[in-house]
Protein backbone atom coordinates (compact mmCIF):
# COMPACT_ATOMS: atom_id res chain seq x y z
CA UNK A 1 0.00 0.00 0.00
CA UNK A 2 1.55 3.30 -0.99
CA UNK A 3 2.09 6.03 1.55
CA UNK A 4 -0.20 9.07 1.53
CA UNK A 5 1.49 12.35 0.71
CA UNK A 6 1.59 14.58 3.80
CA UNK A 7 1.10 18.35 3.63
CA UNK A 8 1.72 20.77 6.47
CA UNK A 9 -0.96 23.47 6.23
CA UNK A 10 -0.07 26.64 8.15
CA UNK A 11 -2.90 29.02 9.02
CA UNK A 12 -1.60 32.59 9.38
CA UNK A 13 -4.79 34.64 9.54
CA UNK A 14 -4.94 35.85 13.16
CA UNK A 15 -4.24 39.45 14.25
CA UNK A 16 -3.29 38.69 17.87
CA UNK A 17 -5.43 41.49 19.32
CA UNK A 18 -4.61 40.46 22.92
CA UNK A 19 -0.94 41.21 22.23
CA UNK A 20 -1.48 44.81 21.14
CA UNK A 21 0.60 47.05 20.92
CA UNK A 22 3.29 44.51 19.94
CA UNK A 23 0.95 42.78 17.52
CA UNK A 24 -0.40 45.06 14.76
CA UNK A 25 -2.33 44.51 11.56
CA UNK A 26 0.87 45.17 9.60
CA UNK A 27 2.85 42.71 11.75
CA UNK A 28 0.69 40.23 13.68
CA UNK A 29 2.16 38.27 16.60
CA UNK A 30 3.19 35.26 14.49
CA UNK A 31 5.80 37.42 12.69
CA UNK A 32 7.30 39.19 15.73
CA UNK A 33 10.92 38.28 16.45
CA UNK A 34 10.64 38.44 20.25
CA UNK A 35 10.88 34.68 20.81
CA UNK A 36 14.51 33.53 20.85
CA UNK A 37 15.23 35.78 17.85
CA UNK A 38 12.88 33.77 15.63
CA UNK A 39 9.26 34.46 14.87
CA UNK A 40 6.55 31.99 15.86
CA UNK A 41 5.80 31.51 12.15
CA UNK A 42 9.42 30.56 11.44
CA UNK A 43 9.42 28.16 14.40
CA UNK A 44 6.22 26.55 13.06
CA UNK A 45 7.82 26.00 9.65
CA UNK A 46 10.98 24.54 11.21
CA UNK A 47 9.29 22.14 13.58
CA UNK A 48 7.24 20.46 10.86
CA UNK A 49 9.92 20.36 8.15
CA UNK A 50 10.77 16.69 8.63
CA UNK A 51 7.19 15.56 9.15
CA UNK A 52 5.64 16.59 5.82
CA UNK A 53 6.33 16.31 2.08
CA UNK A 54 4.83 19.69 1.22
CA UNK A 55 4.12 23.03 2.88
CA UNK A 56 0.99 25.06 2.23
CA UNK A 57 0.35 28.50 3.70
CA UNK A 58 -3.16 29.92 3.98
CA UNK A 59 -2.77 33.62 4.71
CA UNK A 60 -4.36 36.90 3.84
CA UNK A 61 -3.57 39.67 1.43
CA UNK A 62 -2.07 41.79 4.24
CA UNK A 63 0.41 39.26 5.62
CA UNK A 64 1.38 36.98 2.71
CA UNK A 65 4.55 39.04 2.06
CA UNK A 66 5.66 38.41 5.67
CA UNK A 67 5.26 34.64 5.23
CA UNK A 68 7.06 34.80 1.90
CA UNK A 69 10.08 36.54 3.44
CA UNK A 70 10.49 33.79 6.07
CA UNK A 71 10.02 30.92 3.61
CA UNK A 72 12.41 32.41 1.07
CA UNK A 73 15.05 32.93 3.77
CA UNK A 74 15.04 29.17 4.44
CA UNK A 75 14.57 28.19 0.75
CA UNK A 76 11.31 26.43 1.56
CA UNK A 77 9.08 25.64 -1.40
CA UNK A 78 5.42 26.13 -0.58
CA UNK A 79 1.93 26.38 -1.99
CA UNK A 80 0.51 29.85 -1.32
CA UNK A 81 -3.22 30.41 -0.76
CA UNK A 82 -4.09 34.08 -0.28
CA UNK A 83 -7.44 35.08 1.17
CA UNK A 84 -8.66 38.48 0.02
CA UNK A 85 -10.74 38.81 3.20
CA UNK A 86 -10.71 36.77 6.44
CA UNK A 87 -13.47 34.09 6.51
CA UNK A 88 -12.50 32.16 9.68
CA UNK A 89 -11.01 28.67 9.94
CA UNK A 90 -13.68 26.49 8.27
CA UNK A 91 -13.14 28.24 4.92
CA UNK A 92 -9.36 28.58 5.32
CA UNK A 93 -9.01 24.82 5.85
CA UNK A 94 -11.47 24.10 3.02
CA UNK A 95 -9.21 26.02 0.59
CA UNK A 96 -6.25 23.88 1.65
CA UNK A 97 -8.29 20.72 1.09
CA UNK A 98 -9.49 21.91 -2.34
CA UNK A 99 -5.85 22.61 -3.27
CA UNK A 100 -4.85 19.03 -2.36
CA UNK A 101 -5.30 15.57 -3.88
CA UNK A 102 -8.15 13.55 -2.36
CA UNK A 103 -5.90 11.15 -0.41
CA UNK A 104 -3.37 13.72 0.81
CA UNK A 105 -3.12 13.84 4.58
CA UNK A 106 -3.14 17.42 5.88
CA UNK A 107 -1.58 18.43 9.19
CA UNK A 108 -3.22 21.79 9.96
CA UNK A 109 -1.53 24.04 12.51
CA UNK A 110 -1.81 27.68 13.53
CA UNK A 111 1.36 29.73 13.02
CA UNK A 112 1.51 31.41 16.41
CA UNK A 113 1.98 28.62 18.97
CA UNK A 114 4.97 27.70 21.11
CA UNK A 115 5.66 23.97 21.26
CA UNK A 116 8.31 22.21 23.33
CA UNK A 117 9.44 18.58 23.78
CA UNK A 118 9.61 17.94 20.06
CA UNK A 119 9.94 14.17 20.43
CA UNK A 120 6.51 14.03 22.10
CA UNK A 121 5.14 16.39 19.45
CA UNK A 122 6.39 14.14 16.62
CA UNK A 123 4.92 11.10 18.39
CA UNK A 124 1.51 12.81 18.54
CA UNK A 125 1.73 13.76 14.84
CA UNK A 126 2.54 10.15 13.83
CA UNK A 127 -0.39 8.83 15.87
CA UNK A 128 -2.68 11.40 14.21
CA UNK A 129 -1.44 10.48 10.71
CA UNK A 130 -2.26 6.80 11.37
CA UNK A 131 -5.80 7.69 12.47
CA UNK A 132 -6.25 10.11 9.54
CA UNK A 133 -5.19 7.38 7.09
CA UNK A 134 -8.13 5.31 8.40
CA UNK A 135 -10.59 8.08 7.54
CA UNK A 136 -10.85 9.95 10.84
CA UNK A 137 -10.64 13.69 11.44
CA UNK A 138 -8.14 14.06 14.26
CA UNK A 139 -7.86 16.90 16.73
CA UNK A 140 -4.95 17.37 19.14
CA UNK A 141 -5.81 17.73 22.82
CA UNK A 142 -3.12 18.85 25.23
CA UNK A 143 -2.98 17.29 28.69
CA UNK A 144 -3.54 20.38 30.87
CA UNK A 145 -0.97 21.55 33.41
CA UNK A 146 -3.26 24.04 35.15
CA UNK A 147 -6.91 25.22 35.18
CA UNK A 148 -6.41 27.66 32.31
CA UNK A 149 -9.41 29.90 31.46
CA UNK A 150 -7.92 31.20 28.17
CA UNK A 151 -8.35 27.91 26.27
CA UNK A 152 -11.26 25.81 25.03
CA UNK A 153 -11.41 22.21 26.29
CA UNK A 154 -12.11 18.77 24.81
CA UNK A 155 -13.93 16.23 26.97
CA UNK A 156 -12.86 12.75 25.92
CA UNK A 157 -13.28 9.07 26.58
CA UNK A 158 -10.20 7.28 25.26
CA UNK A 159 -9.64 8.74 21.79
CA UNK A 160 -13.34 9.57 21.35
CA UNK A 161 -14.55 13.13 21.82
CA UNK A 162 -17.49 13.46 24.23
CA UNK A 163 -17.86 17.25 23.86
CA UNK A 164 -16.09 20.50 23.04
CA UNK A 165 -16.30 23.23 25.69
CA UNK A 166 -15.84 26.96 25.29
CA UNK A 167 -13.30 28.85 27.43
CA UNK A 168 -14.48 28.15 30.99
CA UNK A 169 -14.56 30.35 34.07
CA UNK A 170 -12.16 29.57 36.93
CA UNK A 171 -14.62 27.26 38.74
CA UNK A 172 -15.40 25.17 35.63
CA UNK A 173 -11.71 25.03 34.68
CA UNK A 174 -10.84 23.60 38.11
CA UNK A 175 -13.69 21.13 37.76
CA UNK A 176 -12.39 20.00 34.33
CA UNK A 177 -8.89 19.42 35.74
CA UNK A 178 -10.27 17.48 38.72
CA UNK A 179 -12.28 15.18 36.42
CA UNK A 180 -9.08 14.25 34.55
CA UNK A 181 -10.61 13.51 31.14
CA UNK A 182 -10.45 17.07 29.78
CA UNK A 183 -7.77 18.31 27.38
CA UNK A 184 -6.90 21.78 26.13
CA UNK A 185 -8.13 22.31 22.58
CA UNK A 186 -4.98 23.12 20.59
CA UNK A 187 -6.63 24.12 17.30
CA UNK A 188 -4.47 21.60 15.40
CA UNK A 189 -5.98 18.95 13.12
CA UNK A 190 -5.06 16.04 10.85
CA UNK A 191 -7.19 14.39 8.14
CA UNK A 192 -7.39 13.30 4.53
CA UNK A 193 -8.42 16.17 2.25
CA UNK A 194 -11.45 14.32 0.83
CA UNK A 195 -12.70 13.23 4.29
CA UNK A 196 -12.68 16.85 5.47
CA UNK A 197 -14.52 18.05 2.34
CA UNK A 198 -17.13 15.27 2.59
CA UNK A 199 -17.88 16.22 6.21
CA UNK A 200 -17.97 19.93 5.35
CA UNK A 201 -20.47 19.17 2.58
CA UNK A 202 -22.70 17.31 5.06
CA UNK A 203 -22.50 19.63 8.09
CA UNK A 204 -21.86 23.07 6.56
CA UNK A 205 -22.98 22.82 2.92
CA UNK A 206 -23.15 26.62 2.54
CA UNK A 207 -19.48 26.92 3.54
CA UNK A 208 -18.58 24.05 1.20
CA UNK A 209 -20.42 25.49 -1.82
CA UNK A 210 -19.24 29.09 -1.45
CA UNK A 211 -15.62 28.09 -0.66
CA UNK A 212 -15.56 25.79 -3.67
CA UNK A 213 -16.75 28.58 -5.98
CA UNK A 214 -14.17 30.98 -4.56
CA UNK A 215 -11.42 28.38 -4.88
CA UNK A 216 -12.31 27.47 -8.47
CA UNK A 217 -11.89 31.08 -9.57
CA UNK A 218 -8.56 31.68 -7.77
CA UNK A 219 -5.79 33.37 -9.74
CA UNK A 220 -2.36 31.99 -8.74
CA UNK A 221 -3.74 31.11 -5.32
CA UNK A 222 -5.31 34.54 -4.75
CA UNK A 223 -9.02 34.27 -3.97
CA UNK A 224 -11.65 36.52 -5.52
CA UNK A 225 -12.92 39.13 -3.04
CA UNK A 226 -16.58 39.21 -4.12
CA UNK A 227 -16.93 35.43 -4.05
CA UNK A 228 -15.07 35.27 -0.72
CA UNK A 229 -17.51 37.69 0.88
CA UNK A 230 -20.33 35.19 0.24
CA UNK A 231 -18.64 32.55 2.46
CA UNK A 232 -20.11 32.25 5.97
CA UNK A 233 -17.45 33.20 8.52
CA UNK A 234 -17.49 30.28 10.97
CA UNK A 235 -14.86 28.29 12.80
CA UNK A 236 -13.95 24.73 11.90
CA UNK A 237 -14.90 23.68 15.45
CA UNK A 238 -18.44 24.90 14.94
CA UNK A 239 -18.73 23.75 11.29
CA UNK A 240 -17.35 20.22 11.66
CA UNK A 241 -15.59 19.25 14.88
CA UNK A 242 -18.67 19.62 17.11
CA UNK A 243 -20.92 17.78 14.63
CA UNK A 244 -19.04 15.09 12.72
CA UNK A 245 -19.13 11.43 13.80
CA UNK A 246 -15.60 10.86 12.47
CA UNK A 247 -13.67 12.81 15.12
CA UNK A 248 -10.84 11.28 17.15
CA UNK A 249 -8.58 13.05 19.64
CA UNK A 250 -4.89 12.44 20.18
CA UNK A 251 -4.04 13.10 23.81
CA UNK A 252 -0.72 14.94 23.70
CA UNK A 253 1.90 15.57 26.38
CA UNK A 254 4.18 18.05 24.58
CA UNK A 255 4.57 21.56 25.99
CA UNK A 256 2.14 23.89 24.31
CA UNK A 257 0.97 27.48 24.56
CA UNK A 258 -0.96 29.57 22.08
CA UNK A 259 0.73 32.72 23.46
CA UNK A 260 -2.69 34.33 23.25
CA UNK A 261 -2.10 36.78 26.08
CA UNK A 262 0.67 38.75 27.75
CA UNK A 263 0.44 36.38 30.72
CA UNK A 264 1.43 33.42 28.53
CA UNK A 265 4.13 35.52 26.79
CA UNK A 266 5.46 36.50 30.24
CA UNK A 267 5.55 32.86 31.36
CA UNK A 268 7.35 31.82 28.18
CA UNK A 269 9.89 34.67 28.25
CA UNK A 270 10.83 33.74 31.84
CA UNK A 271 11.66 30.18 30.69
CA UNK A 272 14.16 31.58 28.16
CA UNK A 273 15.83 33.88 30.68
CA UNK A 274 14.08 37.22 30.07
CA UNK A 275 14.67 39.36 33.17
CA UNK A 276 12.12 40.42 35.79
CA UNK A 277 12.71 42.53 38.90
CA UNK A 278 12.35 41.23 42.46
CA UNK A 279 8.58 41.91 42.36
CA UNK A 280 8.03 39.98 39.15
CA UNK A 281 7.72 43.07 36.95
CA UNK A 282 8.79 42.70 33.31
CA UNK A 283 9.70 45.08 30.48
CA UNK A 284 9.08 44.06 26.86
CA UNK A 285 10.22 46.04 23.84
CA UNK A 286 12.87 48.39 25.23
CA UNK A 287 16.29 48.24 26.87
CA UNK A 288 15.71 51.61 28.55
CA UNK A 289 16.18 51.54 32.31
CA UNK A 290 12.68 51.10 33.73
CA UNK A 291 11.87 51.22 37.46
CA UNK A 292 8.67 49.86 38.98
CA UNK A 293 7.61 51.25 42.36
CA UNK A 294 4.81 49.86 44.52
CA UNK A 295 3.60 47.32 41.96
CA UNK A 296 4.22 43.65 41.32
CA UNK A 297 3.60 41.19 38.46
CA UNK A 298 3.22 44.16 36.13
CA UNK A 299 4.20 44.12 32.45
CA UNK A 300 5.39 47.27 30.67
CA UNK A 301 5.17 46.91 26.88
CA UNK A 302 6.93 49.56 24.83
CA UNK A 303 6.55 50.28 21.12
CA UNK A 304 7.43 53.33 19.04
CA UNK A 305 3.96 54.92 19.17
CA UNK A 306 2.11 53.15 21.99
CA UNK A 307 2.84 51.76 25.45
CA UNK A 308 0.83 49.33 27.54
CA UNK A 309 1.08 48.83 31.29
CA UNK A 310 -0.87 45.94 32.76
CA UNK A 311 -1.10 43.65 35.73
CA UNK A 312 -0.31 40.17 34.48
CA UNK A 313 -3.63 38.66 35.64
CA UNK A 314 -5.62 41.19 33.55
CA UNK A 315 -4.02 40.03 30.29
CA UNK A 316 -7.31 38.95 28.71
CA UNK A 317 -8.59 42.54 28.99
CA UNK A 318 -6.12 43.88 26.40
CA UNK A 319 -8.68 42.90 23.76
CA UNK A 320 -11.05 45.57 25.11
CA UNK A 321 -8.39 48.26 24.50
CA UNK A 322 -7.93 46.87 20.98
CA UNK A 323 -11.70 46.90 20.37
CA UNK A 324 -12.00 50.50 21.63
CA UNK A 325 -9.23 51.61 19.25
CA UNK A 326 -10.91 49.70 16.44
CA UNK A 327 -14.19 51.56 17.04
CA UNK A 328 -12.26 54.84 16.75
CA UNK A 329 -10.61 53.55 13.54
CA UNK A 330 -7.29 54.34 15.20
CA UNK A 331 -4.08 54.05 13.16
CA UNK A 332 -2.46 52.58 16.30
CA UNK A 333 -3.73 49.18 15.18
CA UNK A 334 -2.01 49.32 11.78
Amino acid sequence: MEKNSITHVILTGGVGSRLWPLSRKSKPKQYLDIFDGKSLFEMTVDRNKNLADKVMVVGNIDNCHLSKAVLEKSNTEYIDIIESTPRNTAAAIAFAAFASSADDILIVTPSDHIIGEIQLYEQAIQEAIEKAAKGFIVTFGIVPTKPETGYGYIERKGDNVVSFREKPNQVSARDFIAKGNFLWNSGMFCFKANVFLEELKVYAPDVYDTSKLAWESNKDGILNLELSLTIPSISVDYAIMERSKKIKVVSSHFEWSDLGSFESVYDYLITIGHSVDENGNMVIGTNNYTAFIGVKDTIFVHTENANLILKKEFSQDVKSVYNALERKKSNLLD
Side-chain angles (χ1 to χ4, degrees):
M1 187 175 135
E2 81 182 55
K3 190 172 145 291
N4 303 69
S5 177
I6 294 166
T7 302
H8 176 211
V9 178
I10 309 175
L11 305 179
T12 70
V15 289
S17 55
R18 287 186 184 85
L19 293 191
W20 180 88
L22 286 183
S23 188
R24 306 286 182 109
K25 286 177 178 165
S26 60
K27 199 162 196 185
K29 69 168 178 173
Q30 55 270 33
Y31 302 105
L32 300 171
D33 285 338
I34 60 168
F35 309 100
D36 269 352
K38 274 190 176 183
S39 67
L40 296 172
F41 177 80
E42 192 173 350
M43 289 157 84
T44 304
V45 173
D46 289 351
R47 111 172 41 98
N48 293 281
K49 265 209 168 100
N50 305 328
L51 303 173
D53 308 305
K54 282 182 279 200
V55 176
M56 194 179 280
V57 176
V58 186
N60 60 46
I61 206 92
D62 298 328
N63 71 15
C64 58
H65 65 287
L66 298 168
S67 300
K68 187 178 184 186
V70 173
L71 290 154
E72 283 184 347
K73 185 174 115 183
S74 61
N75 281 328
T76 306
E77 275 186 41
Y78 70 109
I79 299 150
D80 205 7
I81 298 174
I82 301 169
E83 296 181 288
S84 45
T85 180
R87 290 332 268 164
N88 215 318
T89 50
I93 296 171
F95 298 138
F98 284 126
S100 304
S101 300
D103 271 346
D104 286 358
I105 288 179
L106 310 188
I107 300 165
V108 180
T109 75
S111 55
D112 55 1
H113 291 182
I114 281 279
I115 285 173
E117 299 174 298
I118 290 303
Q119 199 180 341
L120 293 174
Y121 174 74
E122 291 181 356
Q123 220 171 297
I125 295 281
Q126 293 311 331
E127 194 183 323
I129 288 170
E130 283 165 29
K131 291 182 194 300
K134 292 175 182 159
F136 293 108
I137 292 178
V138 184
T139 182
F140 293 79
I142 311 294
V143 176
T145 54
K146 60 175 195 266
E148 174 64 62
T149 57
Y151 300 149
Y153 284 73
I154 298 168
E155 183 185 4
R156 58 146 184 155
K157 193 173 180 186
D159 67 353
N160 291 315
V161 174
V162 178
S163 69
F164 287 89
R165 304 292 184 93
E166 295 298 313
K167 294 174 182 176
N169 60 28
Q170 198 63 49
V171 176
S172 299
R174 282 203 201 97
D175 187 40
F176 291 171
I177 302 293
K179 285 191 172 138
N181 64 327
F182 282 80
L183 304 167
W184 288 337
N185 187 353
S186 72
M188 292 169 44
F189 311 100
C190 183
F191 46 74
K192 279 190 197 173
N194 62 340
V195 172
F196 179 85
L197 292 173
E198 282 160 17
E199 294 298 274
L200 189 65
K201 200 188 284 187
V202 171
Y203 294 103
D206 44 352
V207 178
Y208 177 87
D209 293 338
T210 50
S211 301
K212 190 167 193 281
L213 280 174
W215 174 249
E216 282 169 351
S217 67
N218 84 80
K219 299 269 188 297
D220 298 324
I222 300 172
L223 294 151
N224 174 287
L225 177 60
E226 278 168 39
L227 289 172
S228 296
L229 286 167
T230 66
I231 302 169
S233 178
I234 63 173
S235 72
V236 69
D237 281 349
Y238 179 68
I240 290 184
M241 306 310 290
E242 293 174 11
R243 302 173 179 194
S244 169
K245 308 286 182 285
K246 293 184 176 176
I247 309 297
K248 294 284 183 192
V249 63
V250 167
S251 174
S252 314
H253 289 268
F254 53 84
E255 280 172 27
W256 174 86
S257 168
D258 75 347
L259 292 184
S261 69
F262 277 111
E263 183 168 15
S264 52
V265 170
Y266 177 105
D267 291 344
Y268 173 69
L269 289 176
I270 279 184
T271 68
I272 60 168
H274 195 93
S275 62
V276 288
D277 72 9
E278 67 275 18
N279 292 311
N281 300 308
M282 178 183 280
V283 177
I284 299 174
T286 178
N287 292 321
N288 286 354
Y289 175 75
T290 306
F292 294 85
I293 298 174
V295 291
K296 59 180 190 188
D297 296 332
T298 297
I299 306 169
F300 172 64
V301 184
H302 170 79
T303 69
E304 201 173 295
N305 64 353
N307 295 326
L308 176 71
I309 299 162
L310 72 153
K311 296 280 282 182
K312 187 172 70 152
E313 68 263 32
F314 291 99
S315 292
Q316 295 294 337
D317 297 347
V318 175
K319 195 174 173 67
S320 58
V321 177
Y322 187 95
N323 291 344
L325 290 168
E326 197 160 43
R327 284 193 295 275
K328 289 183 192 161
K329 299 193 165 33
S330 168
N331 63 359
L332 291 173
L333 301 184
D334 297 340

